[in-house]
Amino acid sequence: MFEIDKESFGRFLAKQRKAKGNTQKELAEKLFISDKAVSKWERSLSMPDISLLIPLADILEVSVTELLEGRKIDHASEMDMVQVEGLVKKALSFSEETPEKKKERQKKHAALFGFCMLFSGLEIWIGMLLLPGRVQAPLSVVFLVLELLSFIFGIYFWFFMKERLPAYYDENQISAVSDGLFHMNLPGICFNNRNWPHIVKSLRIWDIVTILTLPPLCLLSSMLFSDLSWILFVQYMILILYLAGLFVPLYIVGKKYGSDNSHTEKSRTRKVWVIVFIFLTAVIAGVSFSGMATFRSGISIGFVSHESTKEWYASYHLLDGTMSRKLYPGSQKMDYLIDVETEDGTLSIEIMDSSGKDIFAETFSESAPSSVQSVTLTGTARIKILADEHRGSFSISPES
């Protein structure tokens, strides 16, 4: 009885838009929405958010009352109490989400989130079957922690996050949202009901993408990278992409939809993109350089033993599995010193030249606790290291 007449609303909106000489795209840009949304309004397929009623009425130069009624109202005549009451109820029903719609929306969210979790579990299970023992322990820990964080965030984003902000967010410039345990503060972004739906959508998309892509990325990385330098490099890159994928879209949609000054915000958005690009480029370049240069002149992994404390550098407690390294002695012959200390397990070292010919091959075990040997290298040498729960230390470095 008190519902908005969508057809009258759509016809009135199209008529007033054309009278103002605006295209659907131009009107959408002024409201910071897509032109498809305006098209749906005019075709009576959907209705705008209640937060858009006042700016929409201002742009069309009509009153909110006329917008809700879908017709021009003679201002010389007065509305009686019955008409006012009906209009108020229309406005309330316009913004109110019925329990049925809310329940239906929650069911869709539960189905989508549940499917993503099941598919993610299937990815992990298949990877464990196809690649038993191939997943590097340091990599798997990082990926599992990030996967767990995405799962926890996803529960909140999909089931408990507010779909709308209180009205005072539209009246003031507030850059922080607090809801129970959830706190979000984005300096430079003012939250309001123009950009909040886009921010919520961005968070949910990020959550789905990370949940579904982290397991295969972990398995793929374990197949491609076996040496410690590359493993550390992959860890840095995944962490950077994980955080960038979360915060960069938030700034983009927050800036794009959060202000009435489109020209200024577009300029600011470009500046944000430039700063983010420069920052990520610098970080990636720095990490790449450090990761590639770590073992360029030599290999050194140490085991520290002090009273009851025993641990590998970079918090590795033991060395297990296969690693590959390349050394670049240069065109001149260079003597390298191979120094191995063994407390437990075995360590095999094989060095080949660029043609694949063996230059050095030996296995070290606890039966021979220490060994120091010299080998002459030139050009590019490939080193294969096979460790079977080896505890101790080893280094391959130029003789001083």
Side-chain angles (χ1 to χ4, degrees), residues 120-295:
S120 174
L122 181 63
E123 290 176 331
I124 296 174
W125 180 68
I126 292 176
M128 293 175 66
L129 289 179
L130 296 179
L131 301 171
R134 290 289 301 277
V135 178
Q136 299 288 341
L139 271 177
S140 61
V141 170
V142 172
F143 277 97
L144 286 175
V145 169
L146 296 181
E147 185 80 354
L148 179 62
L149 286 176
S150 295
F151 174 72
I152 295 173
F153 287 145
I155 292 176
Y156 177 78
F157 293 158
W158 286 99
F159 301 107
F160 299 102
M161 199 166 197
K162 295 177 180 178
E163 298 291 336
R164 287 186 55 80
L165 294 174
Y168 58 81
Y169 275 89
D170 297 324
E171 301 167 359
N172 303 278
Q173 293 186 344
I174 303 174
S175 60
V177 174
S178 179
D179 182 23
L181 295 176
F182 176 77
H183 299 274
M184 182 166 62
N185 189 348
L186 296 178
I189 299 294
C190 294
F191 296 111
N192 50 56
N193 283 301
R194 290 189 299 274
N195 60 15
W196 186 249
H198 302 280
I199 288 174
V200 173
K201 183 178 179 180
S202 174
L203 290 171
R204 289 171 176 170
I205 291 175
W206 169 84
D207 183 66
I208 288 179
V209 171
T210 54
I211 286 176
L212 295 180
T213 58
L214 281 172
L217 277 177
C218 177
L219 296 172
L220 182 62
S221 301
S222 298
M223 293 173 60
L224 297 178
F225 308 110
S226 57
D227 58 285
L228 295 179
S229 60
W230 276 107
I231 289 175
L232 292 175
F233 171 75
V234 171
Q235 289 178 355
Y236 284 128
M237 290 300 97
I238 293 299
L239 183 58
I240 290 172
L241 292 175
Y242 186 86
L243 295 176
L246 174 61
F247 289 105
V248 172
L250 292 183
Y251 268 95
I252 293 174
V253 300
K255 287 287 186 181
K256 183 177 180 181
Y257 300 102
S259 174
D260 294 327
N261 193 333
S262 60
H263 178 74
T264 302
E265 291 307 317
K266 285 180 181 179
S267 177
R268 290 179 180 176
T269 301
R270 285 193 294 267
K271 290 180 181 178
V272 170
W273 264 111
V274 171
I275 293 173
V276 170
F277 176 77
I278 293 174
F279 171 75
L280 291 179
T281 302
V283 172
I284 292 173
V287 174
S288 301
F289 178 78
S290 61
M292 294 295 292
T294 300
F295 299 104

Side-chain angles (χ1 to χ4, degrees), residues 315-376:
S315 61
Y316 288 99
H317 295 280
L318 58 84
L319 197 62
D320 194 19
T322 305
M323 298 186 296
S324 295
R325 297 286 191 279
K326 284 187 178 180
L327 296 183
Y328 305 89
S331 57
Q332 300 296 325
K333 290 185 178 181
M334 183 177 294
D335 293 330
Y336 278 78
L337 200 63
I338 301 175
D339 188 354
V340 180
E341 294 283 343
T342 304
E343 294 186 4
D344 196 9
T346 61
L347 182 75
S348 298
I349 298 178
E350 182 182 7
I351 304 178
M352 293 162 282
D353 60 17
S354 57
S355 63
K357 181 181 178 182
D358 282 343
I359 302 175
F360 178 90
E362 189 160 342
T363 298
F364 306 91
S365 65
E366 54 186 320
S367 59
S370 62
S371 177
V372 180
Q373 302 186 39
S374 180
V375 62
T376 301

